[in-house]
Amino acid sequence: MNGLISLLAFIVTLGILVTVHEYGHYWVARRCGIKVLTFSIGFGKKLLSWQRGDTTWQLAAIPLGGYVRMLDEREAPVDDADLSRSFNQQHPLKKMAVAVAGPAANLILALLFYWILFLSGVSTLKPVVADVVSGSPAQLAGIRAGDRIDSVAGEPVVSWDDLLGQMIDASSSGVPFDMVLRGASGDATVRVDPVKAGISNVDADLLDRFGISPLPIIPVVSQVEPGSAAAQAGIRAGDKLSLINGKPLDSWTTLQQTLIKHPDQPLQLTVIRAGAPLVMTLTPHVLELKGKRIGRVGLAPTLDPQRWDAQQMQLRYGPLDAMAASWSKAWGTVGFTLRMFGRMLTGQVSTSQIGGPVTLATVAGRSAQMGLEPFISTLALISLSLAVLNLLPVPLLDGGHLMYHTAELVTGRPVPERVQAFGMRLGLAFLAGLMALALYNDFFRLISG
């Protein structure tokens, strides 16, 4: 069922984003007086088509992109009556406008999505640390449960999502940075060295490895998985976890860290049930995760309902403020994407973060299952990523065409065909390598669970 939802979400996501992107090219080309021959969603064999004016609109078999084909003397002979409508006859500024229109359409779509979200209200979490893992880099840096994180590396933090993004951005540089905290005892600034803290290799689990969580978890069992190590030990829902191997369990994360380090090893666990302590032997089952053996027992924790309610927040703005917030969000995301790409090129960030169709389908599917708001937010993020990717100065991408048209504007003559052909081969090699890397990462994520 999850696979079907992911597939449908993937098709809807690509369908919306590709259609908007190609329509941007189409709309500007028409306004520049260029004749558009074909508007295609998908590549390969034509499945469905219809004629509207000069343009054939079609759906093709491979739904991994699309294209707009314009009248061009370089592709086929053009009647004298249509020469003025041929793409190659246009002024370089018009060609540049057509090239940039697709990415611009994706940017506008993302702004529209963010504006709708900020206008209707975005549910998120406050940047308040509910739990700190004992002995973690966060605790060693001086962060305590209850601290609110106001800024990271000088950038303000409004929500927990902001915190994750700012931490990834700051940590991936490998340079020490400051975090400004607001706690019960007043404001404080802590210094974090991402290399020493072990968080310079960034991913979505960075905050977990740093040792902080927004979840106000209490060490009380809410569920026990049938047949699990916990069930075999006799643990029940409602048990309060007190000691493990004689040491106090001050938080749920302390239990998790202990279990991870002791797969298939007996542990003495003390629980409080009906006001009385019970000692039982708990032997974590072995779980293989990313090549490592970790312990798993099949317990689910309990959220403190009052603290969890206090952790919730909603970002809602009026129409004008929502526009400003949308632009700030989009611009910040574009800048973040470019910085991450640059750091991948310099080796500061692992290329394992690049995902392909499987990753896209998984992300789209999960967000769709979470609700309309997360799905729209995911659409906006992918739309911005598509805009940035297409503006890279790589032949075959819009950025490559923009580069050629800019050269034509400066020199007064088109880039020679042999140069464009060579660039096309380079661009094809780059995109093929990028796709191969993305597919490899997808495959690795699948087999590593």
Side-chain angles (χ1 to χ4, degrees):
M1 186 63 179
N2 288 341
L4 179 59
I5 292 175
S6 293
L7 178 61
L8 291 175
F10 174 72
I11 293 172
V12 171
T13 298
L14 271 189
I16 292 174
L17 301 186
V18 170
T19 300
V20 168
H21 181 93
E22 298 305 331
Y23 192 81
H25 290 309
Y26 168 84
W27 190 86
V28 172
R30 290 291 305 273
R31 296 307 176 278
C32 290
I34 301 169
K35 185 176 181 178
V36 179
L37 302 177
T38 308
F39 185 110
S40 179
I41 302 302
F43 301 105
K45 184 179 179 181
K46 180 170 57 178
L47 301 178
L48 177 67
S49 68
W50 62 97
Q51 192 73 24
R52 183 180 173 188
D54 296 324
T55 307
T56 299
W57 299 69
Q58 66 181 40
L59 296 176
I62 306 174
L64 295 178
Y67 62 91
V68 169
R69 179 169 165 259
M70 289 166 271
L71 188 69
D72 197 312
E73 288 181 284
R74 295 167 298 181
E75 295 183 2
V78 175
D79 293 338
D80 290 343
D82 277 338
L83 273 179
S84 63
R85 303 178 66 193
S86 177
F87 179 81
N88 66 291
Q89 293 288 338
Q90 306 304 311
H91 189 278
L93 287 176
K94 288 187 177 181
K95 296 178 182 178
M96 293 168 67
V98 173
V100 81
N106 285 124
L107 172 61
I108 292 170
L109 179 66
L111 288 170
L112 176 61
F113 281 150
Y114 283 137
W115 182 75
I116 291 172
L117 290 174
F118 285 129
L119 195 63
S120 59
V122 178
S123 299
T124 185
L125 298 176
K126 298 175 183 177
V128 175
V129 179
D131 187 33
V132 181
V133 178
S134 178
S136 67
Q139 186 187 58
L140 296 176
I143 299 174
R144 300 291 180 262
D147 285 345
R148 182 186 180 99
I149 300 176
D150 282 343
S151 70
V152 173
E155 295 295 327
V157 173
V158 177
S159 67
W160 193 266
D161 290 335
D162 281 350
L163 174 61
L164 175 58
Q166 297 295 354
M167 284 291 289
I168 288 176
D169 196 359
S171 299
S172 63
S173 69
V175 177
F177 58 89
D178 290 334
M179 298 176 67
V180 177
L181 314 175
R182 194 192 321 161
S185 57
D187 294 349
T189 300
V190 299
R191 189 77 166 169
V192 177
D193 186 330
V195 176
K196 292 181 179 179
I199 56 173
S200 57
N201 184 19
V202 300
D203 53 35
D205 298 325
L206 182 144
L207 293 183
D208 291 336
R209 289 187 283 110
F210 188 53
I212 59 177
S213 169
L215 304 177
I217 295 173
I218 55 178
V220 175
V221 178
S222 65
Q223 291 181 339
V224 179
E225 182 181 317
S228 65
Q232 293 170 4
I235 301 174
R236 301 177 187 173
D239 286 347
K240 181 179 180 180
L241 308 182
S242 176
L243 303 171
I244 189 162
N245 284 349
K247 297 181 179 179
L249 278 173
D250 53 351
S251 70
W252 190 270
T253 49
T254 301
L255 172 67
Q256 287 179 313
Q257 294 299 315
T258 304
L259 298 177
I260 287 173
K261 296 175 182 176
H262 297 84
D264 206 28
Q265 297 178 30
L267 301 170
Q268 295 299 312
L269 182 68
T270 301
V271 304
I272 307 298
R273 183 183 298 167
L278 292 175
V279 180
M280 51 190 69
T281 300
L282 176 65
T283 304
H285 291 168
V286 177
L287 176 66
E288 294 283 345
L289 184 64
K290 296 183 179 179
K292 296 182 180 180
R293 288 163 49 92
I294 64 173
R296 184 180 185 277
V297 297
L299 288 178
T302 299
L303 285 176
D304 184 326
Q306 291 184 336
R307 290 170 60 203
W308 180 239
D309 287 342
Q311 192 81 333
Q312 310 292 317
M313 67 179 293
Q314 192 169 59
L315 299 175
R316 176 178 283 139
Y317 303 93
L320 293 179
D321 288 338
M323 288 182 187
S326 301
W327 178 255
S328 177
K329 176 73 172 178
W331 183 249
T333 301
V334 168
F336 174 81
T337 302
L338 290 173
R339 287 192 296 276
M340 290 300 105
F341 186 77
R343 288 169 186 169
M344 284 183 189
L345 293 178
T346 59
Q348 291 177 283
V349 175
S350 171
T351 54
S352 63
Q353 304 306 311
I354 296 174
V358 177
T359 298
L360 175 59
T362 301
V363 171
R366 286 176 180 171
S367 64
Q369 292 179 66
M370 291 170 64
L372 184 60
E373 179 188 310
F375 185 57
I376 291 177
S377 181
T378 299
L379 283 175
L381 178 61
I382 298 174
S383 189
L384 286 173
S385 300
L386 185 61
V388 172
L389 175 64
N390 271 279
L391 282 176
L392 294 178
V394 177
L396 293 182
L397 296 179
D398 295 326
H401 296 306
L402 189 60
M403 182 173 59
Y404 289 151
H405 304 326
T406 303
E408 181 182 353
L409 179 66
V410 172
T411 64
R413 59 182 183 274
V415 175
E417 291 289 333
R418 66 180 183 280
V419 175
Q420 293 192 43
F422 179 72
M424 184 176 295
R425 288 194 291 271
L426 287 180
L428 187 61
F430 172 81
L431 293 178
L434 188 64
M435 180 56 71
L437 176 62
L439 291 174
Y440 170 80
N441 289 340
D442 282 351
F443 177 73
F444 183 79
R445 290 187 186 101
L446 284 175
I447 63 174
S448 63

XYZ file of all heavy atoms in Angstrom, residues 298-359:
472
model
N 11.744 -3.408 20.987
C 10.325 -3.314 20.651
C 9.481 -2.564 21.654
O 8.341 -2.959 21.938
N 10.020 -1.468 22.175
C 9.275 -0.617 23.114
C 8.957 0.720 22.463
O 9.748 1.248 21.687
C 10.106 -0.354 24.375
C 10.316 -1.501 25.357
C 11.195 -1.032 26.503
C 8.978 -2.013 25.887
N 7.802 1.275 22.808
C 7.446 2.626 22.376
C 7.300 3.503 23.618
O 6.705 3.077 24.615
C 6.143 2.608 21.584
N 7.840 4.738 23.580
C 7.793 5.605 24.760
C 6.467 6.368 24.856
O 5.596 6.265 23.996
C 8.953 6.563 24.512
C 8.980 6.687 23.020
C 8.588 5.345 22.475
N 6.380 7.174 25.885
C 5.193 7.997 26.123
C 5.583 9.474 26.030
O 6.609 9.887 26.574
C 4.603 7.708 27.514
O 4.225 6.334 27.580
C 3.373 8.585 27.783
N 4.758 10.250 25.318
C 4.960 11.695 25.272
C 4.251 12.345 26.443
O 3.112 12.005 26.771
C 4.401 12.266 23.965
C 5.200 12.023 22.680
C 4.428 12.591 21.493
C 6.571 12.656 22.759
N 4.935 13.302 27.072
C 4.306 14.097 28.123
C 3.270 15.001 27.450
O 3.642 15.916 26.709
C 5.367 14.930 28.830
C 4.811 15.726 29.995
O 3.652 16.172 29.919
O 5.547 15.923 30.978
N 1.959 14.772 27.658
C 0.945 15.503 26.891
C 0.985 17.017 27.087
O 0.803 17.773 26.130
C -0.378 14.905 27.390
C -0.052 14.256 28.690
C 1.362 13.821 28.606
N 1.228 17.469 28.303
C 1.239 18.910 28.549
C 2.439 19.572 27.865
O 2.304 20.610 27.205
C 1.268 19.183 30.056
C -0.034 18.807 30.764
C 0.002 19.176 32.239
O 1.070 19.293 32.833
N -1.176 19.360 32.824
N 3.610 18.964 27.999
C 4.803 19.527 27.359
C 4.712 19.430 25.847
O 5.208 20.299 25.126
C 6.050 18.800 27.872
C 6.391 19.107 29.319
C 7.483 18.181 29.822
N 8.722 18.326 29.036
C 9.652 17.377 28.960
N 9.467 16.206 29.575
N 10.743 17.586 28.241
N 4.093 18.371 25.334
C 3.948 18.220 23.885
C 3.030 19.303 23.320
O 3.299 19.875 22.270
C 3.428 16.837 23.558
C 3.241 16.566 22.092
C 2.090 16.214 21.465
C 4.238 16.625 21.061
N 2.302 16.043 20.114
C 3.615 16.288 19.836
C 5.596 16.928 21.058
C 4.306 16.266 18.630
C 6.289 16.897 19.852
C 5.639 16.570 18.660
N 1.930 19.578 24.024
C 1.035 20.659 23.592
C 1.768 21.999 23.592
O 1.581 22.829 22.687
C -0.193 20.742 24.509
C -1.161 19.588 24.283
O -1.065 18.930 23.227
O -2.007 19.349 25.162
N 2.596 22.212 24.596
C 3.342 23.472 24.687
C 4.408 23.581 23.598
O 4.837 24.683 23.250
C 3.990 23.596 26.062
N 4.824 22.437 23.056
C 5.868 22.430 22.028
C 5.324 22.812 20.652
O 6.071 23.240 19.776
C 6.503 21.032 21.961
C 7.775 20.932 21.171
C 8.993 21.389 21.961
O 8.894 22.210 22.865
N 10.159 20.869 21.613
N 4.001 22.688 20.461
C 3.397 22.974 19.164
C 3.349 24.481 18.905
O 3.217 25.287 19.828
C 1.957 22.438 19.112
C 1.782 20.998 19.552
C 2.402 20.015 18.603
O 2.273 20.153 17.393
N 3.075 19.020 19.140
N 3.433 24.835 17.638
C 3.242 26.231 17.252
C 2.722 26.273 15.819
O 2.836 25.297 15.072
C 4.550 27.016 17.357
C 5.619 26.599 16.364
S 7.154 27.569 16.483
C 6.588 29.162 15.958
N 2.134 27.380 15.459
C 1.626 27.548 14.101
C 2.075 28.909 13.571
O 1.875 29.939 14.221
C 0.100 27.442 14.055
C -0.439 27.317 12.632
C -1.908 26.953 12.607
O -2.734 27.684 13.147
N -2.243 25.823 11.985
N 2.696 28.872 12.389
C 3.115 30.105 11.727
C 2.023 30.536 10.766
O 1.740 29.847 9.786
C 4.422 29.875 10.961
C 5.639 29.458 11.797
C 6.814 29.143 10.894
C 6.000 30.541 12.796
N 1.387 31.659 11.054
C 0.313 32.163 10.200
C 0.505 33.669 10.014
O 0.771 34.389 10.964
C -1.061 31.872 10.801
C -2.209 32.461 9.990
C -3.567 32.110 10.596
N -3.943 30.746 10.309
C -4.525 29.923 11.185
N -4.739 30.335 12.414
N -4.865 28.709 10.835
N 0.354 34.125 8.757
C 0.583 35.529 8.431
C -0.588 36.074 7.627
O -1.369 35.319 7.043
C 1.862 35.695 7.596
C 3.118 35.158 8.246
C 3.554 33.864 7.989
C 3.879 35.951 9.101
C 4.724 33.368 8.564
C 5.042 35.467 9.682
C 5.453 34.172 9.416
O 6.604 33.690 9.984
N -0.689 37.421 7.597
C -1.617 38.072 6.700
C -1.091 37.999 5.274
O 0.054 37.587 5.041
N -1.884 38.409 4.287
C -1.494 38.256 2.873
C -0.140 38.866 2.531
O 0.680 38.223 1.874
C -2.628 38.973 2.130
C -3.811 38.849 3.032
C -3.249 38.941 4.423
N 0.136 40.102 2.976
C 1.401 40.748 2.633
C 2.575 40.128 3.382
O 3.647 39.885 2.807
C 1.327 42.247 2.905
C 0.360 43.039 2.016
C 0.365 44.512 2.407
C 0.732 42.885 0.535
N 2.379 39.874 4.682
C 3.451 39.247 5.458
C 3.727 37.835 4.955
O 4.874 37.368 4.997
C 3.075 39.207 6.940
C 3.133 40.584 7.585
O 3.835 41.457 7.037
O 2.476 40.787 8.619
N 2.680 37.147 4.488
C 2.868 35.799 3.937
C 3.730 35.845 2.677
O 4.545 34.948 2.430
C 1.522 35.150 3.638
N 3.555 36.909 1.866
C 4.409 37.068 0.680
C 5.874 37.239 1.085
O 6.771 36.616 0.504
C 3.955 38.287 -0.130
C 2.654 38.108 -0.871
S 2.252 39.593 -1.840
C 0.602 39.163 -2.409
N 6.109 38.086 2.081
C 7.480 38.313 2.534
C 8.077 37.040 3.119
O 9.252 36.712 2.856
C 7.499 39.437 3.578
N 7.282 36.318 3.903
C 7.769 35.065 4.494
C 8.042 34.024 3.416
O 9.007 33.260 3.505
C 6.746 34.531 5.498
N 7.204 33.999 2.368
C 7.395 33.054 1.262
C 8.695 33.335 0.530
O 9.461 32.415 0.210
C 6.218 33.140 0.283
O 5.007 32.856 0.923
N 8.946 34.615 0.242
C 10.174 34.976 -0.453
C 11.400 34.647 0.393
O 12.406 34.120 -0.108
C 10.169 36.457 -0.808
C 11.432 36.890 -1.487
C 12.450 37.612 -0.946
C 11.838 36.562 -2.818
N 13.456 37.781 -1.859
C 13.109 37.148 -3.028
C 11.243 35.854 -3.863
C 13.788 37.027 -4.224
C 11.927 35.737 -5.061
C 13.185 36.319 -5.234
N 11.314 34.936 1.696
C 12.427 34.635 2.589
C 12.694 33.136 2.636
O 13.852 32.692 2.592
C 12.113 35.156 3.994
O 13.138 34.827 4.904
N 11.626 32.342 2.699
C 11.764 30.892 2.733
C 12.373 30.377 1.430
O 13.303 29.550 1.451
C 10.392 30.263 2.958
C 10.358 28.736 2.929
C 10.974 28.152 4.171
C 10.768 26.652 4.225
N 11.401 26.037 5.421
N 11.856 30.858 0.293
C 12.349 30.392 -1.012
C 13.799 30.807 -1.218
O 14.632 29.997 -1.656
C 11.465 30.942 -2.128
N 14.134 32.061 -0.932
C 15.489 32.550 -1.129
C 16.471 31.800 -0.227
O 17.576 31.430 -0.650
C 15.554 34.039 -0.862
C 16.894 34.653 -1.115
C 17.759 35.151 -0.179
C 17.539 34.808 -2.378
N 18.908 35.621 -0.776
C 18.802 35.419 -2.135
C 17.184 34.509 -3.690
C 19.696 35.719 -3.157
C 18.077 34.807 -4.714
C 19.311 35.401 -4.434
N 16.058 31.562 1.008
C 16.905 30.809 1.929
C 17.141 29.386 1.445
O 18.252 28.851 1.554
N 16.099 28.767 0.890
C 16.224 27.396 0.388
C 17.134 27.335 -0.828
O 17.959 26.423 -0.963
C 14.834 26.841 0.025
O 13.990 26.878 1.193
C 14.933 25.407 -0.478
N 17.004 28.316 -1.726
C 17.871 28.365 -2.919
C 19.334 28.539 -2.498
O 20.231 27.839 -2.990
C 17.445 29.505 -3.860
C 18.499 29.746 -4.937
C 16.104 29.173 -4.513
N 19.583 29.468 -1.581
C 20.947 29.684 -1.103
C 21.518 28.442 -0.439
O 22.678 28.070 -0.661
N 20.699 27.782 0.370
C 21.120 26.558 1.055
C 21.468 25.470 0.033
O 22.492 24.787 0.150
C 19.994 26.081 1.974
C 20.248 24.758 2.633
C 21.040 24.666 3.765
C 19.679 23.592 2.129
C 21.272 23.450 4.376
C 19.900 22.371 2.734
C 20.703 22.297 3.863
N 20.618 25.313 -0.994
C 20.849 24.299 -2.027
C 22.159 24.550 -2.759
O 22.947 23.625 -2.991
C 19.687 24.284 -3.030
O 18.451 24.032 -2.329
C 19.878 23.200 -4.081
N 22.404 25.804 -3.117
C 23.641 26.138 -3.821
C 24.870 25.908 -2.949
O 25.904 25.409 -3.417
C 23.597 27.597 -4.291
C 22.619 27.902 -5.431
C 22.548 29.400 -5.686
C 23.038 27.168 -6.705
N 24.763 26.252 -1.662
C 25.904 26.029 -0.763
C 26.190 24.539 -0.607
O 27.353 24.104 -0.603
C 25.642 26.668 0.609
C 25.735 28.189 0.604
C 25.773 28.747 2.013
N 24.555 28.486 2.757
C 23.456 29.248 2.693
N 23.439 30.312 1.905
N 22.390 28.960 3.414
N 25.133 23.732 -0.475
C 25.331 22.292 -0.339
C 25.956 21.706 -1.601
O 26.833 20.849 -1.538
C 23.987 21.595 -0.063
C 23.401 21.862 1.303
S 24.452 21.340 2.677
C 25.049 22.937 3.234
N 25.511 22.188 -2.763
C 26.071 21.695 -4.021
C 27.544 22.070 -4.130
O 28.381 21.254 -4.523
C 25.294 22.268 -5.206
C 25.708 21.692 -6.536
C 25.291 20.431 -6.918
C 26.521 22.412 -7.390
C 25.683 19.886 -8.129
C 26.920 21.887 -8.612
C 26.495 20.611 -8.984
N 27.865 23.308 -3.767
C 29.250 23.739 -3.797
C 30.119 22.931 -2.847
O 31.259 22.581 -3.179
N 29.604 22.616 -1.672
C 30.379 21.842 -0.705
C 30.525 20.384 -1.132
O 31.499 19.722 -0.762
C 29.718 21.947 0.676
C 29.906 23.333 1.299
C 29.053 23.566 2.521
N 29.187 24.957 2.978
C 28.414 25.523 3.899
N 27.429 24.820 4.462
N 28.595 26.780 4.251
N 29.562 19.888 -1.915
C 29.732 18.550 -2.502
C 30.887 18.545 -3.488
O 31.691 17.604 -3.532
C 28.441 18.112 -3.201
C 27.334 17.669 -2.284
S 25.879 17.086 -3.194
C 24.702 16.929 -1.846
N 30.999 19.613 -4.285
C 32.072 19.696 -5.270
C 33.441 19.779 -4.603
O 34.432 19.275 -5.143
C 31.865 20.912 -6.180
C 30.652 20.875 -7.121
C 30.552 22.165 -7.916
C 30.741 19.675 -8.068
N 33.500 20.411 -3.415
C 34.775 20.548 -2.707
C 35.021 19.416 -1.724
O 36.055 19.388 -1.056
C 34.828 21.889 -1.952
O 33.733 21.966 -1.011
C 34.739 23.055 -2.920
N 34.074 18.473 -1.623
C 34.257 17.324 -0.747
C 33.865 17.549 0.692
O 34.055 16.670 1.533
N 33.306 18.721 1.023
C 32.895 18.995 2.402
C 31.620 18.259 2.776
O 31.385 17.961 3.948
C 32.685 20.500 2.601
C 33.964 21.318 2.545
C 33.681 22.802 2.676
O 33.244 23.449 1.718
N 33.909 23.350 3.851
N 30.782 17.989 1.779
C 29.522 17.269 2.001
C 29.513 16.040 1.109
O 29.891 16.107 -0.062
C 28.308 18.178 1.688
C 27.003 17.388 1.794
C 28.279 19.369 2.635
N 29.086 14.927 1.674
C 29.075 13.667 0.922
C 28.048 13.704 -0.208
O 26.931 14.219 -0.034
C 28.757 12.506 1.865
O 28.544 11.316 1.144
N 28.406 13.130 -1.351
C 27.471 13.034 -2.479
C 26.390 11.985 -2.226
O 25.495 11.826 -3.051
C 28.223 12.683 -3.772
O 29.003 11.493 -3.565
C 29.142 13.810 -4.183
N 26.467 11.291 -1.091
C 25.413 10.318 -0.761
C 24.086 11.005 -0.494
O 23.035 10.353 -0.440
C 25.823 9.497 0.472
O 25.963 10.334 1.611
N 24.109 12.349 -0.321
C 22.864 13.087 -0.092
C 22.053 13.252 -1.375
O 20.880 13.615 -1.324
C 23.186 14.478 0.482
C 24.013 14.448 1.755
C 23.414 13.593 2.837
O 22.236 13.710 3.156
N 24.207 12.697 3.403
N 22.680 13.008 -2.536
C 21.960 13.128 -3.810
C 21.006 11.955 -3.967
O 21.391 10.806 -3.797
C 22.956 13.173 -4.988
C 23.828 14.430 -4.900
C 22.228 13.143 -6.323
C 24.922 14.482 -5.942
N 19.767 12.240 -4.273
C 18.767 11.193 -4.444
C 18.200 11.168 -5.845
O 18.234 12.173 -6.566
N 17.695 10.018 -6.243
C 17.113 9.834 -7.561
C 15.613 9.624 -7.501
O 14.949 10.027 -6.527
N 15.040 8.951 -8.495
C 13.591 8.770 -8.562
C 13.012 8.024 -7.363
O 11.915 8.342 -6.899
C 13.386 7.959 -9.853
C 14.649 8.026 -10.594
C 15.728 8.415 -9.671
N 13.761 7.031 -6.848
C 13.247 6.258 -5.710
C 13.156 7.142 -4.472
O 12.162 7.117 -3.742
C 14.138 5.031 -5.443
C 13.644 4.275 -4.209
C 14.137 4.099 -6.653
N 14.205 7.940 -4.245
C 14.187 8.855 -3.102
C 13.063 9.874 -3.245
O 12.346 10.171 -2.275
C 15.542 9.582 -2.979
O 16.567 8.622 -2.755
C 15.519 10.575 -1.828
